[in-house]
Amino acid sequence: MPALQPARGTQDLLPEAARRHRRVGETARETAALYGFAEIATPIFEFTEVFSRPIGEHTDIVSKEMYTFTDRGGEEVTLRPENTAGVVRAVLSNGLTQSTPLKFFYSGPMFRYERPQKGRFRQFHQIGVELLGVATPQADIEVIALGNRILQALGIGERVVLELNTLGDPESRAAYRAALVGFFSARRSELSEDSRRRLETNPLRILDSKDPGDMRLNADAPTFDDYLNDASRDFFARVASGLDRLGIAYRRNPRLVRGLDYYTHSVFEFVTTDLGAQGTVLAGGRYDGLVELMGGPSMAGVGWAAGIERLALLIAEPPPTPRAIALVPIGEAAEARALTLAEQLRDAGLVVDLGYSGNLARRMRRANRIGARAAVLLGDDELARGAATLRDLDSGAQSEVALGALAAHLTTLGL
Ligand code: ATP
Ligand code: MG
């Protein structure tokens, strides 16, 4: 079997990588709490229609990226490719639509069948927020400000640029869509095969194409601005002035669109040039039609999701975890005493490593390998005196310390 390899597009998070991921997740969770966003956790699989209907059958996600299977009971289920639809489903299932505004934060794995490359996996992780029930631009401004603050807190504010666009209200969007179809239909033969397909199904997506020929055409395509009605124009102006008031810089990108069908008004991405082609680290927008599309009442919504893997590549080395104390018993009696001593030291908040087996030299090698701050050597003679030998592994200094005074002594070491 091709055994003992992770499945294509998945990866193990060894402790060093797991630490970076945790730093991203915890920073985001703490920052979201400052804005009153509470954590929600929904299942990682749902009935397939939870995703297929709202995301739209002509999107890349639904047409080719979903992990869908029939379970043993004959139910069609899908591993979640994103979490907005799951959160909205949870709001509806739990009857929360009366208690708006709803503000949720989430963090967890997502699954998409994609071609793996740097910053692109089949199992990846996202943090995200959803703000439901607020139709005014304040909501857009707050979720963008929250995303911005998280990136600042992670120390990568200087490495990203906020790109902002509007897709207008449904009326504007329909007018623009018609204009795009007209423009590209007249140049159908110049489009890539993918984009010829998009022309029938999801023409806005052509603007997002990475095909060089498509990109040349896109440069001359009509822009949304000419098709925005007054209400859409006003909404966008209010979002922009709110960001100005907060001193959050943005770049207007009139070609920014989102892959999913349910977006209206604001769309935004924080992008970096430091990750090659996979430059989008945080992306979101307003999705006023989604709740209704999923069978709920008419309810506004705005949110974003960010890829933890991409953020983890950008952050500086997280602060080190506290260094361990290695307990090194010599002899059987000491072995037994070490077990209880380890617990007492942990009660005092110290990180304690028991080497478990081997002679003195072997255990000291392990203490060095894990970067222990000090070793506590327990021999029969010392035990008889109620003491242990403390070896400072940075300075090499060695002294005998009474067991009762050990915890206090160790905490002064600077771990
Ligand atoms: P892309 O254009 O890179 O495919 P997308 O539009 O499909 O992105 P979204 O659905 O908006 O991405 O997801 C939000 C964020 O989640 C992305 O900006 C990215 O940081 C991350 N992300 C999306 N797909 C993947 C993946 N396959 N592997 C790693 N991170 C991902
Ligand atoms: Mg994608």
Side-chain angles (χ1 to χ4, degrees), residues 199-258:
L199 187 53
E200 321 299 329
T201 58
N202 194 354
L204 259 65
R205 252 312 226 184
I206 299 175
L207 299 176
D208 208 19
S209 172
K210 310 276 190 295
D211 177 88
D214 290 348
M215 287 167 78
R216 268 194 303 279
L217 280 184
N218 282 339
D220 298 327
T223 63
F224 221 134
D225 279 359
D226 299 330
Y227 298 88
L228 290 175
N229 57 23
D230 287 346
S232 301
R233 221 178 273 284
D234 178 58
F235 192 98
F236 185 66
R238 286 160 67 198
V239 173
S241 76
L243 295 175
D244 290 342
R245 255 199 319 281
L246 294 178
I248 298 173
Y250 58 85
R251 188 162 72 198
R252 177 75 199 279
N253 176 356
R255 311 209 175 270
L256 180 64
V257 294
R258 305 282 308 129

Side-chain angles (χ1 to χ4, degrees), residues 9 60-61 65 81-82 106 110-127 205 208 210 257-260 263 268-270 275 277-284 304-311:
D60 285 354
I61 290 184
E65 294 176 358
E82 56 96 45
Y106 63 79
M110 308 292 158
F111 305 85
R112 296 184 195 176
Y113 190 81
E114 298 204 65
R115 194 168 66 77
Q117 48 197 294
K118 184 182 176 197
R120 191 178 292 286
F121 305 92
R122 290 180 175 177
Q123 176 177 335
F124 60 101
H125 298 78
Q126 283 183 339
I127 46 172
R205 252 312 226 184
D208 208 19
K210 310 276 190 295
V257 294
R258 305 282 308 129
L260 314 185
Y263 284 98
F268 52 87
E269 291 188 353
F270 284 87
L275 289 177
Q278 270 56 252
T280 302
V281 294
L282 184 156
W304 53 253
I308 297 185
E309 281 78 4
R310 293 184 196 176
L311 292 172

Side-chain angles (χ1 to χ4, degrees), residues 20 156 159-160 272 274-275 281 310-316:
R20 301 179 79 90
I156 55 183
R159 299 172 73 183
V160 295
T272 174
D274 297 349
L275 289 177
V281 294
R310 293 184 196 176
L311 292 172
L313 285 171
L314 292 174
I315 61 172

Side-chain angles (χ1 to χ4, degrees), residues 38-367:
E39 184 159 13
I40 186 171
T42 60
I44 65 166
F45 66 91
E46 300 266 2
F47 293 126
T48 297
E49 67 212 33
V50 169
F51 304 115
S52 57
R53 199 144 60 100
I55 296 174
E57 60 176 311
H58 299 303
T59 57
D60 285 354
I61 290 184
V62 175
S63 66
K64 55 188 190 203
E65 294 176 358
M66 292 209 305
Y67 277 92
T68 297
F69 60 99
T70 308
D71 74 9
R72 288 166 196 276
E75 302 283 12
E76 263 243 343
V77 295
T78 293
L79 299 182
R80 62 184 188 189
E82 56 96 45
N83 207 26
T84 303
V87 169
V88 171
R89 198 273 309 138
V91 165
L92 297 177
S93 308
N94 292 283
L96 305 178
T97 53
Q98 298 303 312
S99 30
T100 55
L102 293 163
K103 306 197 311 189
F104 293 120
F105 166 82
Y106 63 79
S107 170
M110 308 292 158
F111 305 85
R112 296 184 195 176
Y113 190 81
E114 298 204 65
R115 194 168 66 77
Q117 48 197 294
K118 184 182 176 197
R120 191 178 292 286
F121 305 92
R122 290 180 175 177
Q123 176 177 335
F124 60 101
H125 298 78
Q126 283 183 339
I127 46 172
V129 299
E130 313 294 353
L131 202 177
L132 291 147
V134 182
T136 55
Q138 280 132 295
D140 309 54
I141 297 163
E142 278 240 305
V143 300
I144 293 172
L146 167 53
N148 181 64
R149 188 184 283 261
I150 290 170
L151 298 172
Q152 302 287 345
L154 288 170
I156 55 183
E158 302 300 309
R159 299 172 73 183
V160 295
V161 173
L162 169 60
E163 296 198 343
L164 184 64
N165 194 22
T166 176
L167 301 180
D169 61 11
E171 182 191 280
S172 306
R173 188 173 162 143
Y176 181 53
R177 187 188 151 110
L180 273 187
V181 170
F183 175 84
F184 287 118
S185 296
R187 295 159 183 81
R188 200 169 189 286
S189 59
E190 297 166 60
L191 283 173
S192 69
E193 199 185 311
D194 271 347
S195 287
R196 276 203 292 274
R197 195 167 35 76
R198 292 180 186 125
L199 187 53
E200 321 299 329
T201 58
N202 194 354
L204 259 65
R205 252 312 226 184
I206 299 175
L207 299 176
D208 208 19
S209 172
K210 310 276 190 295
D211 177 88
D214 290 348
M215 287 167 78
R216 268 194 303 279
L217 280 184
N218 282 339
D220 298 327
T223 63
F224 221 134
D225 279 359
D226 299 330
Y227 298 88
L228 290 175
N229 57 23
D230 287 346
S232 301
R233 221 178 273 284
D234 178 58
F235 192 98
F236 185 66
R238 286 160 67 198
V239 173
S241 76
L243 295 175
D244 290 342
R245 255 199 319 281
L246 294 178
I248 298 173
Y250 58 85
R251 188 162 72 198
R252 177 75 199 279
N253 176 356
R255 311 209 175 270
L256 180 64
V257 294
R258 305 282 308 129
L260 314 185
D261 281 348
Y262 51 62
Y263 284 98
T264 51
H265 290 295
S266 312
V267 288
F268 52 87
E269 291 188 353
F270 284 87
V271 296
T272 174
T273 51
D274 297 349
L275 289 177
Q278 270 56 252
T280 302
V281 294
L282 184 156
R286 178 167 276 282
Y287 48 82
D288 290 347
L290 177 62
V291 181
E292 201 170 357
L293 181 70
M294 291 185 70
S298 164
M299 187 188 230
V302 56
W304 53 253
I308 297 185
E309 281 78 4
R310 293 184 196 176
L311 292 172
L313 285 171
L314 292 174
I315 61 172
E317 185 62 20
T321 46
R323 293 169 70 188
I325 305 299
L327 269 196
V328 182
I330 306 147
E332 240 170 79
E335 201 78 64
R337 184 67 184 88
L339 269 182
T340 53
L341 182 60
E343 290 300 315
Q344 286 157 7
L345 297 178
R346 289 167 185 149
D347 286 344
L350 293 157
V351 179
V352 180
D353 184 80
L354 280 172
Y356 302 119
S357 66
N359 60 19
L360 177 65
R362 188 185 152 120
R363 293 205 201 209
M364 290 308 294
R365 270 202 305 277
R366 172 171 169 84

